[in-house]
Amino acid sequence: MFRSSVALMLEMRLPQTTVSEASTLDEALTQESPPPDLILLDVQLEDTNGLEGIALLQERWLLAKVVILSAFDRDAVVCEAIQRGAVEFHAKTECPERLLQRIQALLSGGHPEPAILITPPLSLTPRQRQVLRLLCQGLTNKEIALQLRRSEHTVRSHVQAILTSLQASSRTEAADAARRLGLVL
């Protein structure tokens, strides 16, 4: 519904612009329409994490600018989107008029606006990322410790650091946040 609303707004306000829609990354990549100048991409797609799709879209359409539209406007997601090649990031809660202005500016050759971050980007060590993946699989601290050949105390420390980084108050909340942020599949 959100995608259709944005498409309708663009068709009405930018009648000279051709608007194509796709509900999945695969559907977008197989469209036979002319190469796009701008791609509005959601983080939550039916078939994949939109952040992972940035590279595929840029590979297919080298000159297209990718703008991320997402309900997840946490700094970690914004940082990852920009690092992966998105030119701008906009929250779905943003004023439609502002989004339209940015789209017009980018289509007419304007420069991307830098992402404004409130907190430093999420930084997990490689070991914490391993622990997070196993935590998301439902393993207990003891099971994670056995699999990684670490002490349960060490795993507990990693879990606590993960909870703090994700601003989560429980393992379940951390797993949900990790999936939402595209840190795990």
Side-chain angles (χ1 to χ4, degrees), residues 44-162:
Q44 291 279 126
L45 298 174
E46 290 178 22
D47 59 346
T48 190
N49 177 322
L51 297 177
E52 294 170 4
I54 294 171
L56 295 170
L57 292 165
Q58 290 176 328
E59 187 178 302
R60 173 101 163 37
W61 295 293
L62 298 174
L63 301 177
K65 297 172 184 160
V66 178
V67 173
I68 296 290
L69 280 176
S70 179
F72 308 115
D73 61 350
R74 293 188 54 184
D75 291 347
V77 178
V78 176
C79 277
E80 188 173 350
I82 301 303
Q83 287 171 348
R84 288 182 179 234
V87 296
E88 288 188 10
F89 184 102
H90 295 278
K92 287 182 175 180
T93 56
E94 197 169 293
C95 170
E97 215 34 63
R98 169 145 170 65
L99 178 62
L100 185 63
Q101 288 171 353
R102 290 308 309 143
I103 290 170
Q104 286 175 313
L106 289 169
L107 287 173
S108 61
H111 294 290
E113 284 188 349
I116 298 170
L117 301 178
I118 298 164
T119 59
L122 180 67
S123 61
L124 294 175
T125 67
R127 178 68 70 198
Q128 289 168 345
R129 288 182 184 271
Q130 281 182 314
V131 170
L132 179 60
R133 277 192 291 279
L134 296 171
L135 182 147
C136 288
Q137 292 173 15
L139 274 63
T140 65
N141 286 352
K142 187 174 187 175
E143 292 168 328
I144 294 170
L146 287 171
Q147 189 158 344
L148 297 179
R149 297 185 178 152
R150 299 288 182 259
S151 73
E152 197 171 342
H153 176 76
T154 300
V155 170
R156 230 185 337 258
S157 295
H158 287 313
V159 169
Q160 191 55 50
I162 291 165

Side-chain angles (χ1 to χ4, degrees), residues 11-74:
E11 288 168 349
M12 290 176 60
R13 301 289 298 277
L14 302 172
Q16 74 285 4
T17 302
T18 302
V19 178
S20 298
E21 291 183 62
S23 59
T24 67
L25 183 63
D26 189 51
E27 185 182 330
L29 290 167
T30 57
Q31 283 190 0
E32 294 298 326
S33 56
D37 295 317
L38 182 77
I39 299 168
L40 299 177
L41 180 64
D42 197 340
V43 171
Q44 291 279 126
L45 298 174
E46 290 178 22
D47 59 346
T48 190
N49 177 322
L51 297 177
E52 294 170 4
I54 294 171
L56 295 170
L57 292 165
Q58 290 176 328
E59 187 178 302
R60 173 101 163 37
W61 295 293
L62 298 174
L63 301 177
K65 297 172 184 160
V66 178
V67 173
I68 296 290
L69 280 176
S70 179
F72 308 115
D73 61 350
R74 293 188 54 184

